Amino acid sequence: MTITITAFERSPDGGKGLARDTRVRWALEEAGQPYEVRLVSFAGMKAPAHLALHPFGQIPTYEEGDLTLFETGAIVFHIAERSTGLLPEETNARARAIMWMFAAVNTIEPPILDLQTARFAEGDKPWSEERLPLVMDRIRARLEPLATRLGDADWLDGAFSAGDLMMVSVLLRLRMSGILDEYPNLAAYVARGEARPAYGRAFAAQLAINAPTPA
């Protein structure tokens, strides 16, 4: 059955790979699964047809036959379970890979998203200048133990897994802030993720949608 995902008709990041559909594209590329993309405008995201797929009016969604999913963690987990290479076969290693998927979205991503809110949605507030350092410190409080745990390893737990895919995708959001550069092993970890051919294909596909139209 054909897999169809939704993506921004025009991504807010201009194709830098930060939109969440990139995570799903990456997982599908790692799994060697062909897929189609249905582009959705901001207005279309709030239309009844899309809300039937995603009740919160966001992207991406995943459709395959009579199955519809939303939330990138759930989608990537579904893809990983049905493919080889994204989850280890050994039971305990598999459980740990899933654990790192949850850690990426539940522990590491929230303060990073808070930074984006503080900078872009609240940057004009009179208290923003005082709040920003506190947000940055909360991010560092998460990155410090993550950097310690990773150490000099290539990946979080043995071979590359869906846990690394989700973690790298989350950490990529920090690139513009400069915080990631404070942790050289995490910066190198992200670079290894970006160097994977499957990520390159996913990034290129997302960028192609957002490339400026030639005059």
Side-chain angles (χ1 to χ4, degrees):
M1 286 177 280
T2 302
I3 295 171
T4 301
I5 68 171
T6 51
F8 286 119
E9 184 178 74
R10 184 62 61 176
S11 179
D13 74 345
K16 294 183 176 66
L18 302 183
R20 285 182 173 84
D21 65 282
T22 306
R23 303 175 186 181
V24 175
R25 293 174 186 271
W26 186 5
L28 288 167
E29 293 289 350
E30 292 280 358
Q33 288 286 336
Y35 62 97
E36 296 180 356
V37 180
R38 183 170 63 252
L39 301 180
V40 184
S41 66
F42 285 104
M45 289 166 60
K46 306 306 177 184
H50 187 72
L51 291 174
L53 303 175
H54 197 313
F56 305 110
Q58 299 176 317
I59 61 96
T61 59
Y62 175 103
E63 299 167 72
E64 185 180 13
D66 59 0
L67 174 66
T68 299
L69 298 173
F70 63 91
E71 290 294 335
T72 54
I75 296 170
V76 171
F77 182 44
H78 173 72
I79 295 167
E81 279 200 309
R82 299 172 64 235
S83 63
T84 58
L86 283 173
L87 287 176
E89 293 185 7
E90 196 275 321
T91 302
N92 289 347
R94 189 182 187 89
R96 291 193 299 270
I98 296 168
M99 171 190 72
W100 282 114
M101 291 182 67
F102 277 87
V105 295
N106 289 346
T107 301
I108 303 298
E109 189 166 39
I112 294 174
L113 294 178
D114 200 22
L115 174 61
Q116 294 182 325
T117 299
R119 282 187 160 172
F120 300 111
E122 302 171 348
D124 60 344
K125 306 298 182 184
W127 37 261
S128 176
E129 191 171 334
E130 294 183 7
R131 180 171 182 261
L132 198 56
L134 300 177
V135 174
M136 303 274 271
D137 285 344
R138 283 198 291 272
I139 293 173
R140 293 185 180 99
R142 296 301 190 193
L143 296 188
E144 186 69 39
L146 179 63
T148 299
R149 180 60 178 265
L150 178 65
D152 59 1
D154 285 346
W155 308 112
L156 289 168
D157 193 279
F160 175 85
S161 75
D164 296 296
L165 186 153
M166 292 299 293
M167 189 66 76
V168 168
S169 297
V170 166
L171 293 176
L172 275 166
R173 291 180 172 271
L174 285 175
R175 173 161 291 157
M176 298 299 292
S177 72
I179 299 179
L180 198 59
D181 295 332
E182 298 175 18
Y183 305 89
N185 67 329
L186 292 183
Y189 170 66
V190 170
R192 280 191 293 275
E194 290 181 290
R196 292 183 69 83
Y199 177 84
R201 293 191 296 271
F203 181 90
Q206 210 261 5
L207 179 62
I209 294 171
N210 294 275
T213 303

